[in-house]
Amino acid sequence: MTITDTNFNFPGQKSLYKGKVRAVYNINDDLLVMVATDRLSAFDVVMPKGIPFKGQILNQIATKFMAQTEDLVPNWLVATPDPNVAVGHLCEPFKVEMVIRGYMSGHAAREYKAGKRELCGVVMPEGMVENDKFPEPIITPATKAEMGDHDEDISREDIIKKDIVSEADYLVLEDYTRKLFQRGTEIAAERGLILVDTKYEFGKTKDGKIVLIDEIHTPDSSRYFYAEGYEARQERGEAQKQLSKEFVRQWLITNGFQGLEGQALPEMTDAYIETVSERYIELYENIMGEPFVKADVTNIQERIKTNVENYLASI
């Protein structure tokens, strides 16, 4: 009932790249067919079992947000021929993830608790507590790791000095990141949510245009709080009610795993996996403001193969 790996051979296929969650097929050095699998990644480690409907959820959220932001920032998307598939222009990805944080949560909060007051060259004010809002959103980039490796924090200055991204291009990435985060914040507010932090990935098309690629504002790439009761919970020093895969990270931490050397993954029982799937559906319905419609999972591999081949034959 899940899809955790793919090895399709589509017409015109030049190559296949497998990321932590997605498989990307190069078609004639022109289009990319991106399959969102049901794999679950946390602390840069892929969990051994898939989560039912997770790939469909991520793909459908991302494609809707692409449509809702294309007036601000151009993106790579061309079509969505299957619930788990996005097709877009071939791009050369930038080797950084643009992380933007409106609140001190997650990784930033863990660093702050450890006594650090600077993250990726950005100073974090004294006197903050976990989940406080930053005076202004901060951009804290990370290098894009290969599968199995850890993404690493990096400053704007080092990105430019090491020529990972040119200064001219980086200024565009920063501008696009702030615009997308602002739009995402506005859309979240309409749903009674707070967009806490998120990450964006960008690439260059063959004609040199910088575009948004991969996912946007999904529960895997973003953290959301419920707006109702946020202030009261902060004042009482309580944990925020949130929508993101942070609940998986917290479950792993509780069970002694943070992706560090020598740590063993705890067992994910079928019952626990079912609860994770239910949480992802809850995330979808809250973020999208509409009911989730489960796709036919009788034979996901065959469904995807047929839908993609039919689409490629039609263009």
Side-chain angles (χ1 to χ4, degrees):
M1 303 290 279
T2 63
I3 183 166
T4 56
D5 194 20
T6 71
N7 287 289
F8 298 118
N9 190 9
F10 295 124
Q13 184 173 315
K14 298 285 188 183
S15 63
L16 164 61
Y17 167 78
K18 293 183 180 181
K20 296 186 188 94
V21 172
R22 289 168 176 76
V24 185
Y25 294 82
N26 176 333
I27 308 298
N28 291 322
D29 290 328
D30 182 42
L31 293 175
L32 295 179
V33 172
M34 185 181 286
V35 181
T37 73
D38 295 322
R39 291 197 297 270
L40 174 64
S41 164
F43 296 115
D44 297 316
V45 176
V46 176
M47 303 296 112
K49 295 180 181 177
I51 306 301
F53 302 106
K54 177 177 174 288
Q56 178 189 348
I57 286 166
L58 294 192
N59 189 57
Q60 291 186 332
I61 291 175
T63 53
K64 182 167 183 178
F65 275 110
M66 292 263 181
Q68 290 180 324
T69 57
E70 63 187 357
D71 61 315
L72 289 177
V73 174
N75 64 61
W76 76 296
L77 190 65
V78 174
T80 50
D82 180 271
N84 285 64
V85 177
V87 178
H89 298 290
L90 175 73
C91 298
E92 179 65 34
F94 288 100
K95 291 182 168 54
V96 293
E97 291 181 339
M98 297 299 287
V99 182
I100 183 165
R101 305 175 185 277
Y103 294 72
M104 193 187 69
S105 303
H107 174 60
R110 289 189 281 271
E111 294 288 283
Y112 200 90
K113 279 182 184 173
K116 296 180 182 175
R117 293 295 180 268
E118 191 175 294
L119 186 61
C120 302
V122 181
V123 174
M124 297 184 286
E126 289 288 348
M128 294 188 74
V129 298
E130 185 171 2
N131 300 330
D132 273 355
K133 186 176 184 179
F134 286 118
E136 295 290 335
I138 64 172
I139 293 178
T140 59
T143 55
K144 184 74 178 141
E146 294 298 321
M147 190 168 175
D149 293 332
H150 290 279
D151 296 343
E152 292 186 1
D153 293 338
I154 188 168
S155 69
R156 169 187 183 168
E157 291 70 26
D158 279 348
I159 289 170
I160 295 167
K161 186 170 74 176
K162 294 177 180 178
D163 203 28
I164 298 171
V165 180
S166 73
E167 185 169 8
D169 285 349
Y170 190 80
L171 290 174
V172 175
L173 300 190
E174 276 197 339
D175 178 54
Y176 282 176
T177 295
R178 294 193 185 281
K179 284 177 177 171
L180 290 169
F181 189 70
Q182 179 60 34
R183 176 65 58 82
T185 297
E186 292 164 2
I187 294 170
E190 292 169 6
R191 310 262 189 271
L193 302 173
I194 294 169
L195 179 57
V196 177
D197 53 41
T198 192
K199 65 178 181 181
Y200 305 112
E201 295 185 43
F202 298 94
K204 257 190 187 178
T205 61
K206 287 192 283 189
D207 60 2
K209 184 171 158 184
I210 295 175
V211 297
L212 175 68
I213 61 173
D214 200 24
E215 62 186 331
I216 167 177
H217 300 160
T218 73
D220 270 24
S221 66
S222 315
R223 190 187 323 268
Y224 292 89
F225 290 157
Y226 286 94
E228 187 177 353
Y230 165 79
E231 295 286 357
R233 283 188 285 272
Q234 280 302 97
E235 287 171 11
R236 292 195 297 263
E238 295 175 1
Q240 286 298 329
K241 190 178 177 189
Q242 62 174 288
L243 286 168
S244 73
K245 71 172 181 182
E246 183 67 20
F247 72 94
V248 175
R249 296 189 195 97
Q250 291 303 324
W251 179 82
L252 289 168
I253 290 170
T254 301
N255 285 275
F257 184 82
Q258 292 188 60
L260 304 176
E261 199 172 332
Q263 293 181 337
L265 271 169
E267 182 194 0
M268 298 183 82
T269 65
D270 289 346
Y272 179 69
I273 285 170
E274 187 60 33
T275 66
V276 176
S277 181
E278 289 167 0
R279 284 292 293 275
Y280 267 92
I281 291 171
E282 178 193 349
L283 295 172
Y284 175 98
E285 293 184 339
N286 278 276
I287 293 166
M288 299 280 272
E290 62 191 35
F292 177 67
V293 179
K294 295 178 179 178
D296 182 1
V297 292
T298 311
N299 189 333
I300 308 175
Q301 297 270 358
E302 189 59 35
R303 187 199 78 203
I304 290 174
K305 180 175 181 289
T306 300
N307 285 340
V308 172
E309 287 181 351
N310 287 344
Y311 170 75
L312 293 175
S314 73
I315 58 176

